[in-house]
Amino acid sequence: MEKIAEQKSFGGLHQRYRHVSETVHCEMVFAVYLPPAAKEGNACPVLYWLSGLTCTDENFMQKAGAHRMAAELGLIIVAPDTSPRGKEVPGDPDGAWDFGHGAGFYLNATQEPWRTHYQMHDYVVQELPTLIETKLPFSGRRGISGHSMGGHGALVAALRHPARYQSISAFAPISNPMQCPWGEKAFRRYLGNNRSSWRQWDACELMAQSSANKPGDRVPILIDQGEADNFLQEQLKPEALEQAAAKHGYPLTLRRQPGYDHSYYFIASFIDDHLRYHAACLGNAD
């Protein structure tokens, strides 16, 4: 890990690091926010934030307005990049923004030429936590959240690894990627044409599989969705996730917010609610 930037923020520290990843086989950059309690060496829980299409680690840290509440609640925030990058990493052959660089979809690709680098699920769930949690004053409890493509990634990570996360939330997640244009494009290229292999990367399908778990093993999910989101009907499909949760008895709170779109203005408006929710689940709130 090489530190490449550090700024003081609300008494804590915003830091950026780069390292060479053994999972995605390229140099990766990620950001960490250390609240004052962590800066002073006190053990704190970690919230992993996964950003959406076209984003990097910088979007959330600069635009979401999360540092003030994270400082108050004693939450460490870790924000990885959204995909592998570099000249050696193949992107979209047509230069489109919704696939390739900035659009890793937080899955493990099985198809060439993507499989060597696009292993973002394992990077986020395994390699990055292993790399940094021993270096942070980590309490041993972690949550995960994200926006849009990152909301999809957060839901999938937590549903595939229910014992690993004690809190889950999302803003405007791609809820049913098997049934939307963004997801179908990404899944077909990364995973191949066998749709049955896509099911392990779709939150609605994973929610059905979670019914085999004990009710106590299913971590409640908080989701906010703007009703003025221009991607709502074609890409996000929150009603599919709501139906899956109801059918399989999964604890889900899905709040529809009138007038809000897909932007970081939306995220900034409700990020405090999400941070309080994570802190309560992770044992860092009264």
Side-chain angles (χ1 to χ4, degrees), residues 225-238:
Q225 173 62 62
E227 290 188 339
D229 192 319
N230 57 320
F231 302 116
L232 179 58
Q233 299 302 323
E234 184 178 28
Q235 304 286 6
L236 305 179
K237 301 186 182 299

Side-chain angles (χ1 to χ4, degrees), residues 213-252:
N213 299 337
K214 297 177 182 178
D217 294 337
R218 286 177 259 168
V219 179
I221 297 172
L222 171 64
I223 291 176
D224 273 302
Q225 173 62 62
E227 290 188 339
D229 192 319
N230 57 320
F231 302 116
L232 179 58
Q233 299 302 323
E234 184 178 28
Q235 304 286 6
L236 305 179
K237 301 186 182 299
E239 67 283 351
L241 191 68
E242 206 167 35
Q243 290 166 10
K247 180 177 180 179
H248 301 287
Y250 199 99
L252 169 68

Side-chain angles (χ1 to χ4, degrees), residues 154-224:
L155 294 174
V156 167
L159 289 167
R160 283 172 61 104
H161 306 277
R164 190 165 181 80
Y165 302 97
Q166 288 76 54
S167 60
I168 317 167
S169 79
F171 289 81
I174 303 173
S175 296
N176 195 189
M178 290 181 66
Q179 305 297 333
C180 77
W182 281 342
E184 289 190 33
K185 176 180 178 178
F187 285 11
R188 187 169 290 107
R189 291 186 179 182
Y190 288 137
L191 303 172
N193 291 322
N194 182 0
R195 293 180 67 93
S196 65
S197 68
W198 300 5
R199 297 178 63 190
Q200 62 184 312
W201 305 107
D202 186 300
C204 291
E205 297 291 334
L206 291 169
M207 202 167 272
Q209 297 171 28
S210 76
S211 61
N213 299 337
K214 297 177 182 178
D217 294 337
R218 286 177 259 168
V219 179
I221 297 172
L222 171 64
I223 291 176
D224 273 302

